[in-house]
Amino acid sequence: MKRRIYLYLYLSIFLLPLTLFSASIFDMLPENLSNVNHKSINTHSAIAGKNYLAFYFVSLNNPAANEFTSKLLKFYQTKAKEAKVEIILVSFDEDQATFQKNLKNSSIPWYIIPFNSQAKKTISSYYGIVKSPHLMVFNADGKLVTNQNHKKI
């Protein structure tokens, strides 16, 4: 009986917390993403068959991000299909009105995590993202391949 209690305590104290830190990026995603035209698409459908999933955290009116956004856009248009990469935009704009205005003036073809989505807060908090631009890339197994902050992009 004592062994069972000790085993339970051991599992509760040492092993259970490990599962809290091994959450998959796929578990953090919202049920639906949207596109620039506000069309909703099921997240699993949007990323099915992709080898890589990139999250681009950015404020679209951030001058420091303009150059990299242009390069990322060019990559997406020329290489992403062949490499089976999907990019998901995560807005770091100040508010939804600013985000909508910036989105309207952009030519991004990527899927977007809805502005007020809990997923946006969960992912940025879990991975410690506080500044933009920031790019994270995961492989098909959910393993983090690259996590580049605003200074390295």
Side-chain angles (χ1 to χ4, degrees):
M1 182 71 160
K2 283 184 180 182
R3 284 187 178 176
R4 283 186 189 168
I5 293 172
Y6 290 132
L7 180 61
Y8 175 77
L9 288 173
Y10 176 81
L11 291 173
S12 298
I13 294 170
F14 295 106
L15 297 182
L16 187 59
L18 293 178
T19 61
L20 298 176
F21 295 104
S22 63
S24 166
I25 187 66
F26 302 114
D27 296 333
M28 296 181 201
L29 294 173
E31 185 177 335
N32 294 301
L33 300 170
S34 65
N35 65 13
V36 126
N37 300 319
H38 307 287
K39 182 180 175 190
S40 182
I41 183 167
N42 178 274
T43 300
H44 296 291
S45 298
I47 65 174
K50 302 297 180 186
N51 291 334
Y52 297 96
L53 183 60
F55 291 87
Y56 185 40
F57 296 81
V58 67
S59 173
L60 292 173
N61 66 347
N62 179 350
N66 290 342
E67 183 180 347
F68 183 76
T69 301
S70 295
K71 289 178 182 179
L72 191 59
L73 181 58
K74 185 172 183 168
F75 164 81
Y76 188 80
Q77 293 168 336
T78 60
K79 308 272 188 203
K81 188 173 184 177
E82 178 185 325
K84 295 185 178 180
V85 175
E86 190 56 65
I87 298 173
I88 297 176
L89 180 103
V90 184
S91 171
F92 261 36
D93 287 300
E94 297 169 12
D95 54 54
Q96 190 162 5
T98 304
F99 171 61
Q100 293 300 332
K101 178 184 168 199
N102 292 335
L103 193 59
K104 194 176 196 180
N105 296 327
S106 76
S107 59
I108 63 162
W110 310 314
Y111 292 112
I112 303 162
I113 290 182
F115 188 82
N116 290 322
S117 171
Q118 182 60 41
K120 173 181 150 179
K121 296 169 190 153
T122 301
I123 295 168
S124 57
S125 173
Y126 186 86
Y127 289 97
I129 300 163
V130 294
K131 293 185 180 181
S132 79
H134 194 108
L135 184 71
M136 292 190 331
V137 180
F138 294 84
N139 67 16
D141 296 326
K143 181 181 177 192
L144 185 62
V145 176
T146 189
N147 191 2
Q148 299 295 319
N149 68 24
H150 69 288
K151 292 179 182 175
K152 293 183 180 181
I153 290 181

